[in-house]
């Protein structure tokens, strides 16, 4: 089993940073999706794709993956860049 561990990003619809400190372990897809012949919806028999485990720290997520024998790839968190601009700059 392969998985990736990443820090949950901020939702585009929220202004605060709630729930962005959590780390998520998400399993990689084991088989590709295929179209259902009757409805045309995409699906697969892979139930691990639905599983998302959350952890308070990166170390806890790593420890769980090692304990369960899961090969985990850690995705580093991108650094935040702030564009500081004053309201008066809009009228220059």
């Amino acid at each position: 089993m392969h998985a990736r561990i990443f820090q949950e990003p901020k939702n585009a619809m929220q202004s605060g940073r709630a729930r962005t400190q959590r780390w998520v372990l998400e399993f990689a897809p084991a088989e590709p999706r295929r179209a259902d012949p009757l409805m045309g919806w995409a699906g697969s028999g892979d139930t691990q794709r639905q599983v998302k485990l959350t952890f308070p720290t990166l170390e806890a997520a790593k420890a769980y993956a090692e304990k369960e024998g899961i090969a985990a790839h850690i995705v580093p968190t991108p650094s935040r860049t702030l564009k500081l601009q004053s309201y008066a700059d809009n009228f220059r």
Side-chain angles (χ1 to χ4, degrees):
M1 267 191 281
H2 297 291
R4 69 180 181 129
I5 298 173
F6 62 97
Q7 196 167 17
E8 205 165 20
K10 183 178 85 105
N11 186 347
M13 299 300 294
Q14 73 189 60
S15 60
R17 293 182 26 128
R19 290 190 241 149
T20 59
Q21 302 302 320
R22 298 188 303 185
W23 289 85
V24 179
L25 185 138
E26 185 177 66
F27 291 97
E31 61 183 54
R33 290 183 174 215
R34 57 188 180 281
D36 181 48
L38 181 62
M39 298 297 290
W41 295 341
S44 70
D46 182 21
T47 57
Q48 290 291 339
R49 183 179 283 190
Q50 303 169 8
V51 177
K52 277 189 179 180
L53 302 173
T54 58
F55 298 93
T57 62
L58 175 61
E59 289 76 27
K62 280 186 200 177
Y64 177 81
E66 289 175 8
K67 184 178 98 175
E68 296 297 325
I70 300 169
H73 168 64
I74 299 167
V75 179
T77 305
S79 62
R80 289 181 48 201
T81 57
L82 298 175
K83 181 182 175 188
L84 299 177
Q85 180 178 356
S86 69
Y87 181 71
D89 289 340
N90 293 333
F91 302 102
R92 286 189 184 182

